[in-house]
Amino acid sequence: MTKKIIFYLVIILMASEFTRGQVISIIPLPNQYEKVNHTFVINERTKMIVRDSTSLSEAHYFKNQLLRYTGIPINSENGKGSFIVLQRRKIPDTKEGSYLLDMDSDTAVISAADDKGIFNGIVSLLQLAIHSKEEDNSLQIPCWNIQDSPLFAWRGLMLDESRHFFGKKVVKEILDQMALLKLNRFHWHLTDATGWRVEIQKYPKLTLIGGIGNYSDSLAPAKYYTQDDIREIVAYAKTRHIEVIPEIDMPGHATAANRAYPQYSGGGSGKYADFTFNPGKKGTYTFLTNILKEVSVLFPSDIIHLGGDEVSFGSKSWTEDPGVQRLMKQQQLKNLKEVEYYFFKRMTDSALQIFSKVSAWDEATGAGLPVDSTIIFWWRHDKPEQLSKALNKGYNVVLCPRIPLYFDFVQDSSDIDGRRWNGDFNPLVQVYDFSVDSLPTAKHHSQQILGIQAGLWTETIQTKKRLEYMLFPRITALAEAAWTDEKNRNYEGYLRRLKEELPFFTQRNIYFFDQFSPNKTPEVVDE
Ligand code: TNX
């Protein structure tokens, strides 16, 4: 009997060892992969062969990041070591960003039809390299053959820098981590009631006055990005194949701008004083259009996010504004909702003279915006009918429901700071398991779902440490939910790879919530 038990124990141990050997150190998990029984070595004698000069910047990124994370400079002239080959060619997966990675003991070949695919392949190889064993300045990388393509084209993260400002260094670090996780859209919430954070040359007071204060201290000195800062960040993101989408929120959440240029304020009420731009003044449209013109030059993405959320918090004051009353008569607008739609439609028309696409929060679904050039961001998880409405009207949609994708919500039942919704919050597993199929209308309109995005709102986040605590490790679960097909996702398998990842967070000086031993990394609460 005991013999039998020992026999089974040995079998179980062997099996688990075997499984461990199969763990692929890549987040998000590739969609198809197989183990090859070889080891690929990277050291100073390794040579990169770039078949297509268009992939030079991806090769440069790889070398740079490898040096940064492993200390190994690969720049061999004569090729006495292994080869990393980048080649552009047709591959079986036709989705943009797909790639193949084929490895044996001497070569690692990355093939893709487009530069995004080459980059994604590079990132997979980089992750394998970072996680591999190092002996005598050589990385011993287990070989895999990978055939991979993204579930969604839009794999996004939004950062709110109006409520608290974090600055270039933190943003670059976030972009670094996004790139390693194949996240490719950075939605930058640069204006809101608290502060205006992007320099506009034509209206300098927007930042000099509108940039003063933050959510914890209304008198804090002005903090904002100069236009040169913006150029720097946009270029940094571009090297990492991340598109930056700026948000200029209107007609609500406008308090900071209204402090600087009160002539365009549409008022507000109570704690939302001066919350709106004034839809009844011609000058407001000119002012905002001039702002958008400068913004469009700074951000090459050609998509502008115009906000459009929560206007009703401050629009009641429009009933007392003679300009708005005149507008309502002229345009036969029956109520404040129709005024809001009129404003949003008019600003979208202007924006579409400058940008090729406008995006907006789901409140804009009813505003009659052109279906082909508008992207709706569905965030009100408690209003699934808004999502259905947007899809039925034919809009393309990015899914960013508060539950489970707002990272200002707490992640653990013991957390004391951060949001909850009727007691609900956003633990890691829920982010990981987020599925379009759980949303019936989305399932039926899957062609219109561009992807998913998490939102890091910063009312309760003042410091880099708390920001990281809220972001890590949930950002890794987001990445896998955005990249890996549902049928290939497995929470237990993901946790195994995550566990391996944690020491690297520490090595990169990233604070995180330790899912496995929560006491090790206590919640950070900013006072
Ligand atoms: C709602 S999401 C907002 C933000 C807040 C966030 C906090 C959205 C379009 N509006 O202004 O920061 O909730 O979770």
Side-chain angles (χ1 to χ4, degrees):
M1 184 59 188
T2 11
K3 256 192 196 160
K4 226 178 180 179
I5 292 177
I6 292 175
F7 173 76
Y8 282 119
L9 269 177
V10 170
I11 295 282
I12 290 170
L13 274 175
M14 277 171 60
S16 63
E17 194 52 38
F18 178 75
T19 349
R20 216 176 307 148
Q22 300 291 307
V23 172
I24 185 164
S25 315
I26 299 178
I27 298 178
L29 186 68
N31 279 301
Q32 282 186 56
Y33 57 95
E34 58 176 22
K35 183 104 179 69
V36 180
N37 280 326
H38 287 295
T39 302
F40 177 70
V41 175
I42 291 184
N43 56 29
E44 289 189 28
R45 292 184 300 283
T46 299
K47 187 173 174 62
M48 274 194 110
I49 298 179
V50 183
R51 296 248 188 261
D52 217 297
S53 62
T54 48
S55 301
L56 281 172
S57 100
E58 287 76 23
H60 182 67
Y61 169 81
F62 180 81
K63 290 185 202 177
N64 247 313
Q65 302 305 309
L66 190 77
L67 175 60
R68 170 179 191 185
Y69 292 123
T70 70
I72 296 177
I74 54 167
N75 222 347
S76 169
E77 292 299 310
N78 44 17
K80 288 204 185 97
S82 61
F83 294 95
I84 297 170
V85 183
L86 307 185
Q87 57 180 12
R88 291 275 283 266
R89 67 170 173 88
K90 245 189 148 158
I91 58 167
D93 285 321
T94 50
K95 254 193 199 174
E96 195 176 48
S98 304
Y99 70 94
L100 300 177
L101 170 60
D102 293 297
M103 300 170 76
D104 63 29
S105 46
D106 326 298
T107 49
V109 183
I110 292 167
S111 318
D114 50 58
D115 56 350
K116 292 187 174 61
I118 294 284
F119 182 76
N120 290 327
I122 284 272
V123 168
S124 287
L125 184 61
L126 186 62
Q127 282 216 6
L128 291 174
I130 294 173
H131 292 92
S132 65
K133 261 194 287 171
E134 191 180 335
E135 278 165 25
D136 303 328
N137 292 323
S138 286
L139 302 169
Q140 313 285 326
I141 309 175
C143 289
W144 300 88
N145 285 338
I146 298 176
Q147 180 177 341
D148 202 8
S149 74
L151 174 58
F152 291 119
W154 190 294
R155 304 181 297 278
L157 177 72
M158 189 225 70
L159 177 67
D160 162 18
E161 287 211 81
S162 174
R163 274 58 176 267
H164 286 102
F165 182 87
F166 298 92
K168 276 193 289 188
K169 190 158 178 279
V170 171
V171 169
K172 283 184 179 175
E173 282 167 14
I174 293 174
L175 293 170
D176 278 342
Q177 299 315 309
M178 285 178 68
L180 283 178
L181 295 165
K182 303 190 178 84
L183 292 168
N184 65 356
R185 298 285 192 282
F186 179 61
H187 171 175
W188 212 358
H189 189 78
L190 285 165
T191 74
D192 208 299
T194 314
W196 184 282
R197 310 295 183 202
V198 51
E199 179 193 11
I200 302 296
Q201 291 190 36
K202 201 177 178 83
Y203 305 110
K205 284 189 282 183
L206 280 172
T207 42
L208 296 178
I209 294 174
I212 295 174
N214 60 45
Y215 206 78
S216 0
D217 173 6
S218 63
L219 299 174
K223 286 267 167 64
Y224 59 90
Y225 292 103
T226 66
Q227 296 200 343
D228 276 343
D229 292 337
I230 299 275
R231 289 185 188 98
E232 190 181 324
I233 293 289
V234 167
Y236 195 85
K238 185 165 190 279
T239 321
R240 284 151 183 76
H241 286 269
I242 297 171
E243 192 174 317
V244 186
I245 297 94
E247 179 181 348
I248 306 293
D249 206 344
M250 59 184 79
H253 292 270
T255 322
N258 288 336
R259 256 191 284 136
Y261 294 93
Q263 59 270 45
Y264 306 118
S265 172
S269 44
K271 71 173 183 169
Y272 297 103
D274 280 318
F275 188 73
T276 62
F277 289 118
N278 190 330
K281 275 189 178 167
K282 203 163 165 256
T284 309
Y285 299 94
T286 314
F287 171 63
L288 291 171
T289 303
N290 286 338
I291 291 171
L292 293 185
K293 280 183 193 158
E294 288 196 31
V295 169
S296 78
V297 175
L298 296 171
F299 294 90
S301 121
D302 225 19
I303 303 180
I304 179 76
H305 199 298
L306 296 181
D309 56 316
E310 301 174 327
V311 183
S312 62
F313 287 6
S315 59
K316 280 170 256 352
S317 51
W318 293 353
T319 48
E320 286 134 39
D321 185 282
V324 179
Q325 292 309 308
R326 212 175 311 122
L327 176 80
M328 288 178 80
K329 274 210 197 88
Q330 260 169 18
Q331 299 292 328
Q332 296 173 351
L333 307 170
K334 291 194 283 294
N335 51 42
L336 295 183
K337 197 72 196 161
E338 289 192 7
V339 178
E340 179 186 327
Y341 286 160
Y342 171 87
F343 169 94
F344 214 75
K345 173 87 173 56
R346 185 160 163 184
M347 277 316 300
T348 296
D349 289 346
S350 300
L352 286 173
Q353 305 286 315
I354 311 171
F355 297 87
S356 66
K357 290 235 156 46
V358 158
S359 47
W361 299 111
D362 64 47
E363 284 90 334
T365 305
L369 310 181
V371 164
D372 293 339
S373 37
T374 306
I375 303 171
I376 297 292
F377 284 57
W378 178 62
W379 66 282
R380 292 180 291 176
H381 74 286
D382 55 329
K383 291 195 179 356
E385 67 279 8
Q386 280 298 121
L387 172 62
S388 308
K389 211 158 115 191
L391 291 168
N392 289 331
K393 287 189 180 208
Y395 289 111
N396 283 333
V397 170
V398 174
L399 302 172
C400 37
R402 262 182 301 230
I403 301 271
L405 296 183
Y406 272 18
F407 291 174
D408 57 326
F409 277 61
V410 304
Q411 58 198 315
D412 190 68
S413 57
S414 69
D415 285 341
I416 56 166
D417 197 16
R419 286 191 78 188
R420 292 170 204 253
W421 188 273
N422 297 331
D424 282 351
F425 55 95
N426 295 335
L428 188 66
V429 62
Q430 237 158 282
V431 179
Y432 187 84
D433 283 338
F434 178 66
S435 127
V436 172
D437 287 356
S438 66
L439 306 162
T441 359
K443 197 173 161 184
H444 294 122
H445 291 266
S446 57
Q447 293 304 316
Q448 288 160 253
I449 306 292
L450 299 182
I452 69 173
Q453 179 170 293
L456 193 54
W457 301 97
T458 58
E459 288 93 335
T460 66
I461 305 174
Q462 301 177 40
T463 62
K464 174 174 180 279
K465 194 168 177 188
R466 177 162 166 81
L467 181 140
E468 289 174 347
Y469 179 81
M470 300 306 267
L471 203 48
F472 294 89
R474 287 188 288 192
I475 188 174
T476 64
L478 168 76
E480 197 144 311
W483 179 279
T484 311
D485 289 351
E486 222 177 309
K487 64 176 187 327
N488 297 329
R489 256 183 273 158
N490 169 296
Y491 188 59
E492 300 306 318
Y494 155 77
L495 284 184
R496 243 177 281 150
R497 282 172 289 120
L498 176 63
K499 205 166 192 169
E500 253 190 49
E501 196 65 37
L502 300 184
F504 294 96
F505 290 159
T506 308
Q507 197 185 50
R508 290 170 209 155
N509 270 323
I510 294 171
Y511 194 74
F512 59 91
F513 170 65
D514 189 336
Q515 179 80 14
F516 308 97
S517 19
N519 297 335
K520 271 199 203 155
T521 55
E523 182 189 10
V524 182
V525 176
D526 290 338
E527 297 300 340

